[in-house]
Amino acid sequence: MKTIQDINFEGKKALIRVDFNVPLDENFNVTDATRIQAAKPTIIKILEDGGAAVLMSHLGRPKGAEDKFSLKHIAEKVSEIIGVSVKFVANCVGAEAEEAAANLQAGEVLLLENLRFHGEEKAGDVAFAEQLSKLGDVYVNDAFGTAHRAHASTTIVAQFFPENKCFGALLAQEIVSLKKILEEGEKPVLAILGGAKVSSKITVIENILDKVDHLIIGGGMSFTFIKAQGGKIGMSICEDDKQELALDILKQAKEKGVQVHIPVDVIAADDFSNDANTQVCDIYDIPDGWEGVDAGPKTREMFDKVVNESKTILWNGPLGVFEMEAFANGTIALGNSIANATKNGTFSLVGGGDSVAAVKQFGFADKVSYVSTGGGAMLESLEGKTLPGIEAILK
Ligand code: AMP
């Protein structure tokens, strides 16, 4: 696996695919700069070697060149974080971009305009990728968040750098962390899957049954399993057409020697709102008109024990409707359990969508071993797929 550490960038221009798809407020201020911070080590290494950096990214989902999605809005923030006054060019390809890249000196940084202002980016257009390739001597992919897309800048452009392409520090870290879970995890290995639906995680479950010793199924998706086993779930979220599948997963897990842990009790609410009335119920006996919205006290205790006996933990998906303060406590309790296990030497990775939001919101980001920067990319990796952006560098 070739990374930026294997290359001396002195006198070279690195064309770096970063993920600067950051949230902006109505005045175009960056409200969460995590992704810019995450790309910093790669950029700094290249500049310190005596190289120059050409940064390319997408921002949002523009339909053509829409000013509100211009990367010019974030240039100042990037300058502030990198500590270098970043130059900006109002097109990511063409004469203007080529001239700006050609004039770039060692130690300088150039930010290109939003890649998605050109439809060719998402189409994976080869001619567009070739135009991008003119802007650097070495191609560096450091955008895990888009590594599952075969777009021009994430995948196709790599073919124009057969000998001069590598992973950035962030993407390399994502790959190594995933490997620690899926291939080299110290036993016992535990996967915790929560969130709303079984259907969105089914391929993940099937793939990781071969890799883990324990599987916790929590959150909204657990009710499909409870109902399939004859439980009474009231108004709880359930995918009726996935009940057979749920039983099949339990059967497969048994055959593979995976211990499955499903909630035993639940906080039930009489309304899907923060000020609903609540009660603790047996998860197999939720009264009519009530719905399970968070893990119950016995479940939290049970999960705490499994977590603290595990040496490797993957966490994807909350245990309850954590967006509502009243139903966040099960997810917070799980975060505390994982933080404690991590303190005692367990490797813990949090990844994929909402669990990352929960971990950040409740202050656990520094208390777990690794928080992934990719939602869809993380899920596809857990499904056992090789991501096109990663393969393009390895090839
Ligand atoms: P996912 O994107 O699949 O990880 O699902 C995350 C979502 O699942 C969050 O928005 C949670 O509010 C939701 N969720 C978790 N537990 C429940 C539940 N018991 N009932 C309804 N939604 C839930």
Side-chain angles (χ1 to χ4, degrees):
M1 186 170 103
K2 196 165 165 188
T3 77
I4 47 163
Q5 299 309 333
D6 302 313
I7 296 179
N8 182 350
F9 286 89
E10 190 177 355
K12 294 191 172 128
K13 278 181 195 119
L15 176 66
I16 316 174
R17 179 47 158 109
V18 289
D19 180 3
F20 285 173
N21 184 28
V22 291
L24 302 176
D25 66 15
E26 64 280 9
N27 298 316
F28 303 111
N29 296 308
V30 177
T31 55
D32 180 353
T34 309
R35 286 175 169 164
I36 303 174
Q37 292 282 4
K40 185 176 174 179
T42 293
I43 300 166
I44 296 294
K45 142 79 181 157
I46 289 162
L47 299 184
E48 283 183 355
D49 273 3
V54 179
L55 308 178
M56 55 178 175
S57 177
H58 75 285
L59 176 66
R61 294 179 174 178
K63 294 181 185 75
E66 286 184 75
D67 185 74
K68 66 174 174 176
F69 293 114
S70 172
L71 279 163
K72 72 181 179 206
H73 301 305
I74 73 159
E76 205 180 310
K77 193 73 189 175
V78 178
S79 302
E80 182 191 315
I81 289 172
I82 307 299
V84 171
S85 177
V86 168
K87 299 180 174 188
F88 176 76
V89 57
N91 197 348
C92 63
V93 287
E96 206 187 337
E98 283 171 34
E99 195 188 327
N103 289 334
L104 206 62
Q105 302 298 309
E108 292 187 333
V109 179
L110 174 68
L111 176 65
L112 305 178
E113 182 54 288
N114 196 338
L115 292 156
R116 290 195 189 166
F117 281 4
H118 297 263
E120 293 93 333
E121 161 64 358
K122 283 176 87 171
D125 186 85
V126 178
F128 178 73
E130 188 175 15
Q131 279 191 288
L132 289 173
S133 76
K134 293 180 184 164
L135 307 176
D137 312 308
V138 182
Y139 170 62
V140 180
N141 190 352
D142 208 21
F144 182 62
T146 48
H148 59 315
R149 308 281 185 214
H151 294 171
S153 70
T154 63
T155 303
I156 313 302
V157 70
Q159 65 191 249
F160 297 100
F161 299 89
E163 305 299 328
N164 293 308
K165 56 186 178 179
C166 68
F167 294 110
L170 173 68
L171 185 43
Q173 205 180 0
E174 293 277 358
I175 295 170
V176 168
S177 302
L178 262 166
K179 216 170 173 181
K180 277 194 196 169
I181 299 280
L182 296 177
E183 290 171 35
E184 300 161 354
E186 189 185 340
K187 285 174 165 287
V189 180
L190 162 68
I192 304 165
L193 295 180
K197 290 179 171 176
V198 186
S199 52
S200 62
K201 308 267 167 91
I202 176 64
T203 325
V204 174
I205 300 179
E206 285 178 339
N207 184 47
I208 60 172
L209 280 180
D210 289 320
K211 327 257 182 207
V212 303
D213 306 294
H214 294 268
L215 173 65
I216 286 179
I217 292 174
M221 73 157 86
S222 58
F223 299 106
T224 303
F225 288 81
I226 303 293
K227 190 169 177 189
Q229 295 180 97
K232 216 174 131 259
I233 60 164
M235 291 204 314
S236 307
I237 186 171
C238 180
E239 289 170 282
D240 282 332
D241 61 334
K242 295 288 176 292
Q243 290 186 59
E244 283 289 318
L245 192 66
L247 293 177
D248 188 53
I249 288 169
L250 296 177
K251 188 165 151 255
Q252 279 186 52
K254 201 166 181 190
E255 284 164 8
K256 292 181 175 175
V258 177
Q259 279 193 52
V260 180
H261 309 268
I262 298 181
V264 290
D265 61 351
V266 71
I267 309 289
D270 63 354
D271 187 23
F272 196 72
S273 78
N274 208 24
D275 47 13
N277 296 307
T278 60
Q279 59 172 313
V280 177
C281 301
D282 183 320
I283 199 165
Y284 289 87
D285 197 13
I286 301 174
D288 292 341
W290 292 68
E291 63 186 297
V293 286
D294 198 7
K298 283 189 199 145
T299 300
R300 294 178 202 180
E301 214 172 288
M302 184 176 110
F303 288 177
D304 179 68
K305 194 160 175 284
V306 185
V307 164
N308 278 293
E309 285 171 355
S310 298
K311 284 279 152 220
T312 304
I313 300 173
L314 162 75
W315 180 18
N316 173 286
L319 293 190
V321 187
F322 75 98
E323 297 92 335
M324 296 185 204
E325 200 187 342
F327 311 141
N329 292 325
T331 300
I332 294 173
L334 178 65
N336 276 320
S337 301
I338 298 174
N340 189 57
T342 310
K343 203 170 68 194
N344 294 326
T346 290
F347 178 78
S348 56
L349 185 154
V350 183
D354 272 327
S355 30
V356 172
V359 156
K360 283 187 186 164
Q361 187 179 330
F362 304 127
F364 293 119
D366 296 334
K367 297 177 182 161
V368 297
S369 310
Y370 192 68
V371 181
S372 174
T373 54
M378 183 67 182
L379 282 181
E380 289 198 19
S381 304
L382 296 175
E383 287 174 353
K385 292 182 188 151
T386 308
L387 309 185
I390 292 177
E391 203 174 296
I393 300 284
L394 295 175
K395 224 165 30 193

